[in-house]
Amino acid sequence: MAGKPLRAERAKRRGGIDPKILASNSMNYETILYSVQDGILTITLNRPGKLNAFTMRMANELIDAFAVASEDDAVRAIVVTGQGQAFCAGMDLSTNGNVFGLDQSLRPTPDDLEQRFDDPEIVRGVRDTAGRVLLSIFDCKKPVIAAINGAAAGIGATMTLATDFRLASEDLRMGFTFGKIGMVPEACQSWFLPRIVGLTRALKWAYSAKIIEAAEALRCGLVREVHPVGTLLASAQEFARTLVSDRSPVSMALIRQMLPRNSAEPHPKRAHQIESLAMFYARISEGKEGVASFREKRAPEFSGRASQTPEFYPWWK
């Protein structure tokens, strides 16, 4: 299975995915590996000869992979890592042609991004490719853990910000280095990073483009744990299992979307509205089995699927 997407009919049998969606999105992966074992999907950036440097192809494959995994009920949690000695050395600036995929004939405005957000011309020619990857992670229904091995610069750093947890190897060297090449924060960094480490530290790292090593990343809360190089991936996979064992897939999907979205609302009333809907449907479905298993002192047997969420989901659309 490594290196290939879930094809439409196979995925349909395993998780009830709409084959029309997969037919339009799935591809033969060339820059990532996709492997599911015991409910844990491991997505591996796979350009080790280039330190897994980021390309437009890799971006599209990651967007596809997270969309497929989100609806595949065989996938309970996701671990993202890099093949070889690095996680991702950033955008591959050595490639010829239009590295960032921009249509330089356009002159986009804020109104274009607001009103034509999903217009193919804006998607392909204007929108930040790395940001599209981050939003695909953010919208995913499954818990996502980054196992950051070695170097993680530029998009290699920012792509991890939308994951739920970041675990790092002892040789971590991470940098938000856009200022060094006349660029600006990408991949929704200006939204995620201040929320994770605070505005002052986020500004300092963006201004200085400094390289952050494992001890500092751990101290500042950018990563949750630091592991020896040889044990990082196994530790991340085991941690992923602890998040989903004996848990309702529907509950996990709702939790993953409720916390980051509701915490960004200006008033708790909005959180109350969404929680009321989520609790209503939980009480009349998975909650019944959860209560019964508690009373009977046994492991729960949840029957719900993340691919079949309550009708109010996704509420933000």
Side-chain angles (χ1 to χ4, degrees), residues 6-316:
L6 294 173
R7 303 313 302 174
E9 289 305 316
R10 175 198 277 178
K12 183 181 179 183
R13 291 196 298 270
R14 295 179 63 187
I17 306 173
D18 183 347
K20 294 180 181 178
I21 295 175
L22 290 182
S24 65
N25 288 335
S26 291
M27 59 183 74
N28 292 317
Y29 296 155
E30 296 177 358
T31 67
I32 66 174
L33 304 178
Y34 186 113
S35 177
V36 182
Q37 186 172 6
D38 299 328
I40 306 303
L41 163 62
T42 302
I43 297 176
T44 307
L45 309 183
N46 189 36
R47 300 184 73 220
K50 293 281 190 176
L51 298 180
N52 302 316
F54 196 78
T55 64
M56 295 294 294
R57 175 82 191 190
M58 182 181 287
N60 290 329
E61 291 183 359
L62 286 169
I63 291 168
D64 181 82
F66 278 101
V68 171
S70 185
E71 299 302 321
D72 181 7
D73 292 313
V75 174
R76 298 296 310 279
I78 302 169
V79 174
V80 185
T81 194
Q83 185 83 319
Q85 299 181 344
F87 180 76
C88 174
M91 180 64 77
D92 189 349
L93 301 178
S94 68
T95 58
N96 295 323
N98 190 346
V99 173
F100 297 99
L102 302 177
D103 184 344
Q104 298 181 47
S105 69
L106 300 176
R107 291 298 179 266
T109 67
D111 284 345
D112 287 326
L113 270 295
E114 181 66 32
Q115 299 169 13
R116 301 173 58 205
F117 188 73
D118 293 320
D119 184 314
E121 182 179 59
I122 298 298
V123 172
R124 291 193 297 265
V126 178
R127 283 178 52 190
D128 166 37
T129 302
R132 291 171 52 221
V133 174
L134 265 283
L135 292 179
S136 72
I137 300 174
F138 187 72
D139 287 340
C140 184
K141 296 177 182 177
K142 313 300 170 63
V144 184
I145 296 96
I148 313 170
N149 52 308
I155 177 57
T158 54
M159 79 164 68
T160 70
L161 299 179
T163 64
D164 300 301
F165 304 97
R166 288 159 297 282
L167 280 61
S169 59
E170 291 176 332
D171 61 347
L172 175 73
R173 289 180 58 80
M174 198 171 195
F176 303 95
T177 54
F178 305 102
K180 281 188 174 181
I181 57 172
M183 303 297 284
V184 296
E186 56 155 18
C188 309
Q189 175 189 331
S190 56
W191 194 90
F192 282 103
L193 191 59
R195 293 168 184 272
I196 296 169
V197 302
L199 178 58
T200 300
R201 183 169 286 114
L203 283 168
K204 179 182 177 182
W205 287 350
Y207 287 149
S208 67
K210 68 173 295 186
I211 297 301
I212 305 152
E213 297 188 348
E216 182 177 4
L218 181 63
R219 183 175 66 254
C220 297
L222 182 59
V223 302
R224 181 181 187 272
E225 299 171 0
V226 174
H227 294 270
V229 175
T231 68
L232 173 64
L233 180 57
S235 297
Q237 291 168 334
E238 181 56 32
F239 177 60
R241 292 186 185 93
T242 68
L243 300 178
V244 298
S245 178
D246 294 332
R247 298 293 184 269
S248 159
V250 177
S251 174
M252 297 296 287
L254 292 173
I255 288 171
R256 183 161 203 271
Q257 296 303 320
M258 289 168 67
L259 266 66
R261 293 180 188 277
N262 288 352
S263 64
E265 293 286 350
H267 193 283
K269 177 182 177 182
R270 181 59 174 163
H272 171 61
Q273 292 170 335
I274 300 307
E275 288 172 0
S276 295
L277 285 170
M279 283 296 291
F280 178 89
Y281 286 104
R283 286 172 179 141
I284 64 175
S285 57
E286 298 284 72
K288 292 182 178 180
E289 168 60 15
V291 172
S293 65
F294 176 81
R295 289 174 174 170
E296 297 165 11
K297 296 180 172 57
R298 59 173 174 81
E301 298 178 1
F302 295 114
S303 59
R305 298 179 175 185
S307 62
Q308 298 174 351
T309 46
E311 290 184 3
F312 76 92
Y313 182 100
W315 63 88
W316 60 92

